[in-house]
DNA sequence: TCACGCTCTTGACGCTCGTCATGTGAATGA
DNA sequence: TCATTCACATGACGAGCGTCAAGAGCGTGA
């Protein structure tokens, strides 16, 4: 729902003229062609992978575990370890297996046996996406009041409408705002990601990027920013994070609890630094929840990242049976291998 | 014709998908409201006055004389002096009177008698326009390769189509190029004039200006510039100037000849620094005639500005009968008063 | 003052962008 | 495995921008 709000949230004042629908209300016959996933989907920059699944779902949690721990573990983990870690997050083994299968199918992981032990390795090319995600997640950047902007101007023929649609969507995903139809804006430090998106869609010839500065500071600029971004929707994301993480203990806890708290926090946090471009405080409402959100995220990380890491290492060392974990929470741990 | 080339010269490749038109082709009944010439016309920035008349015509020459000499003469000259000066430029007295009447009607000059002598004074508010013209004419600016751009983004509702049309036209007049529909560009040192145009049309609320930099230098940027401006049309203007002024002696000459040469040169030159934004040489074709043009303009000014000024002062001192001028060229000089 | 020609205006049109509604396939969770 | 929900593709639509063509208005020159 949140995602939907954001994606469709840029609705301009559509009031006034009542749109008339001349379409016949009844269902039409089986309509046709449709749904060739086309090669555009294949060309999708991997940023899309961060957005498809809902935070808290099994796939999303798995995706988070992969992002946070798999590279450090050498890019490969036995299947049993995945099951154990997801189990520690409250995901029953059958659903965890389904999630593994789906993430594998999506191309993020690939099956690989090491020394006869079945496991999953990072798919080639996924490393770059994860690294990019790391930057955004752990070093959320904020633009200075006099910082530079990146303006994205494009004109894409109707024949490439899919690509145009994808472009618009992905620009929204990485935090760009809409100035006018065909003119988007973001902090200039996101320029690299914009270029990646554009190149990934094969639209380099139709898009022009400018580095701009000097929005005449003051309330006028703040008003502009309010028109360009769905600040309300982004603030709602932040507040949902604050609310969801408010019960997380910020003191020391058991390794398993720390792991669950930390991964849950990352999983809830992950999408925010994408959709929030990190606008300068001077251009945001006074009660903007961003800084408080970042502070909470950092406190939780400070408290639990270390123990959570220890928990994962312990789980890996024990071959899938995490130490100090109540076996009852693991579901059918005997299935693990 | 040149003007037309420039205005309509940005035609994009209109080919491609054949659009379907569901609109009824027949004319509709007398449609309504419409057609209040509106106050938009009154709000026209004076830059328009520089473009309406063709170089070399009586009105244009008069406009040039006014711009170059009237302010120095104290903002007022007797009608006879105008007739004499235009006569020195080859304009017969009847046409000169028509020109005076029309320029007066347009609001650039206003009738004023000094000490019982009929004459014409600069209309209030015209001074600013002339000053702006001076800057562009005598100090043609050129952008550095790493200079800053001004991006103009606008979206104007269909109900204000006239204003939108005017905006587009005037942006072209002051040298702006088209990036996409609704996105224009010019060197940032023209920003002030852009703001004047926008404010003059009452469109401040619908236009956003950015200061941009960092067109990735090189042939790519040059290609972009070639798409944004009608470089061919501008080069044609330059070459026409070079050709038209090639016969002008650059050495010393009689006062009257210098006056005719100098005013003729200014008159032919005047429009060029408006339509040519002064792009950096790195982004222009190798054979770009701009610098040669400016050099020629400066040589002619160097050679003739002084004597021309003396000629005007002499004419004013003698009350309308210029010294050293062949009376035959003056037409009916006895009509002068 | 008059005829000519250019400019501007006006209406129609095509193109692009964004949105909405709808149908389909996939992801999710029980 | 199955029902529900979500995301995406598609077609239709409104809006904005620019262009074209025809007609009106105005500048130009005789």
């Amino acid at each position: 729902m949140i995602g939907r709000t954001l994606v469709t949230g840029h609705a301009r004042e559509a009031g006034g003229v009542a749109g008339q629908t001349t379409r016949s209300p009844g269902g039409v016959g089986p309509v046709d062609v449709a749904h060739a996933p086309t090669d555009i989907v294949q060309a999708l920059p991997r940023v899309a992978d961060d957005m498809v699944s809902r935070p808290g779902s099994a796939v999303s949690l798995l995706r988070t575990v992969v992002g946070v721990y798999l590279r450090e573990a050498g890019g490969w983990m036995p299947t049993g370890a995945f099951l154990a870690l997801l189990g520690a997050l409250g995901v029953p083994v059958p659903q965890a297996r389904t999630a593994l299968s789906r993430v594998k199918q999506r191309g993020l992981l690939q099956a690989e046996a090491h020394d006869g032990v079945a496991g999953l390795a990072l798919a080639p090319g996924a490393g770059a996406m994860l690294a990019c995600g790391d930057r955004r997640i752990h070093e959320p950047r904020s633009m200075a009041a006099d910082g530079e902007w990146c303006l994205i101007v494009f004109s894409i023929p109707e024949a490439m409408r899919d690509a145009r649609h994808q472009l618009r969507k992905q620009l929204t995903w990485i935090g760009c705002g809409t100035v006018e139809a065909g003119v988007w804006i973001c902090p200039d430090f996101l320029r690299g990601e914009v270029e990646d998106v554009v190149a990934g869609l094969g639209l380099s010839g139709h898009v022009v990027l400018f580095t701009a500065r000097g929005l005449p500071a003051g309330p006028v600029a703040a008003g502009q920013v309010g028109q360009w971004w769905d600040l309300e929707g982004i603030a709602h994301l932040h507040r949902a994070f604050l609310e969801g993480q408010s019960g997380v203990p910020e003191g020391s806890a058991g390794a398993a609890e720390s792991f669950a708290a930390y991964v849950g926090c990352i999983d809830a946090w992950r999408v925010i630094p994408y959709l929030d471009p990190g606008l300068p405080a001077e251009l945001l409402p006074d009660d903007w929840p961003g800084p408080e959100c970042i502070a909470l995220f950092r406190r939780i990380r400070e408290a639990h990242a270390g123990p959570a890491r220890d928990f994962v290492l312990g789980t890996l060392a024990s071959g899938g049976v995490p130490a100090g974990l109540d076996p009852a929470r693991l579901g059918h741990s005997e299935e693990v291998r």
Side-chain angles (χ1 to χ4, degrees), chain A:
Chain A
M1 192 197 310
I2 290 171
R4 182 169 205 109
T5 299
L6 274 166
V7 169
T8 65
H10 286 93
R12 310 186 163 282
E13 57 296 302
V17 185
Q20 68 284 14
T21 319
T22 51
R23 186 132 26 126
S24 69
V28 200
V31 189
D32 52 83
V33 190
H35 301 259
T38 72
D39 44 5
I40 288 173
V41 175
Q42 297 170 14
L44 267 181
R46 293 306 180 178
V47 64
D49 284 353
D50 279 339
M51 297 296 170
V52 286
S53 49
R54 265 200 316 282
S57 70
V59 168
S60 179
L61 287 169
L62 172 57
R63 167 70 184 72
T64 300
V65 167
V66 167
V68 179
Y69 298 110
L70 186 56
R71 282 165 296 169
E72 192 186 358
W76 178 90
M77 288 204 299
T79 304
F82 280 113
L83 296 177
L85 293 175
L86 287 173
L89 296 170
V91 179
V93 168
Q95 291 185 33
R97 286 194 183 278
T98 307
L100 278 175
S101 160
R102 287 170 174 155
V103 168
K104 194 168 58 179
Q105 189 179 355
R106 190 183 293 167
L108 178 64
L109 298 178
Q110 59 187 11
E112 230 178 81
H114 282 195
D115 300 327
V117 179
L120 293 153
L122 216 51
M129 170 189 61
L130 294 179
C132 177
D134 284 348
R135 268 205 312 277
R136 284 190 94 126
I137 292 169
H138 291 287
E139 304 159 18
R141 278 189 280 193
S142 183
M143 185 175 167
D146 58 349
E148 292 179 328
W149 301 89
C150 176
L151 277 174
I152 304 129
V153 180
F154 61 86
S155 176
I156 298 168
E158 191 66 13
M160 308 170 70
R161 215 182 70 155
D162 284 354
R164 193 177 65 194
H165 195 64
Q166 287 295 331
L167 175 61
R168 211 176 41 199
K169 194 180 312 179
Q170 292 182 37
L171 289 180
T172 301
W173 280 343
I174 65 174
C176 296
T178 312
V179 180
E180 299 290 348
V183 183
W184 292 61
I185 191 172
C186 62
D188 196 58
F189 56 67
L190 293 177
R191 187 190 186 103
E193 296 187 37
V194 173
E195 287 170 345
D196 289 346
V197 164
V198 170
L201 291 170
L203 294 176
S204 302
H206 299 84
V207 180
V208 185
L209 299 185
F210 293 95
T211 297
R213 66 166 181 76
L215 265 204
V220 176
Q224 299 283 17
V225 162
Q227 288 184 345
W228 299 341
W229 274 276
D230 176 17
L231 294 182
E232 203 169 335
I234 298 174
H236 185 270
L237 282 178
H238 280 112
R239 297 209 175 88
F241 175 81
L242 287 176
E243 192 172 347
Q245 301 296 310
S246 63
V248 174
E250 298 178 15
S252 60
E257 286 74 18
S258 277
F259 173 72
Y262 183 54
V263 173
C265 172
I266 298 269
D267 195 61
W269 169 255
R270 200 150 55 85
V271 295
I272 293 182
Y274 273 97
L275 293 169
D276 182 343
L279 299 174
E282 289 81 354
L283 300 180
L284 292 170
D286 289 339
D287 59 344
W288 186 250
E292 186 185 347
C293 239
I294 294 179
L296 174 60
F297 168 72
R298 286 187 172 143
R299 286 201 307 271
I300 294 178
R301 184 175 63 185
E302 191 74 22
H304 298 294
R309 181 169 172 275
D310 295 341
F311 175 82
V312 172
L313 295 180
T315 302
L316 288 173
S318 70
V321 182
L325 183 68
D326 176 10
R329 287 195 58 195
L330 250 179
H332 313 268
S333 67
E334 67 281 8
E335 276 192 4
V336 174
R337 44 147 326 183

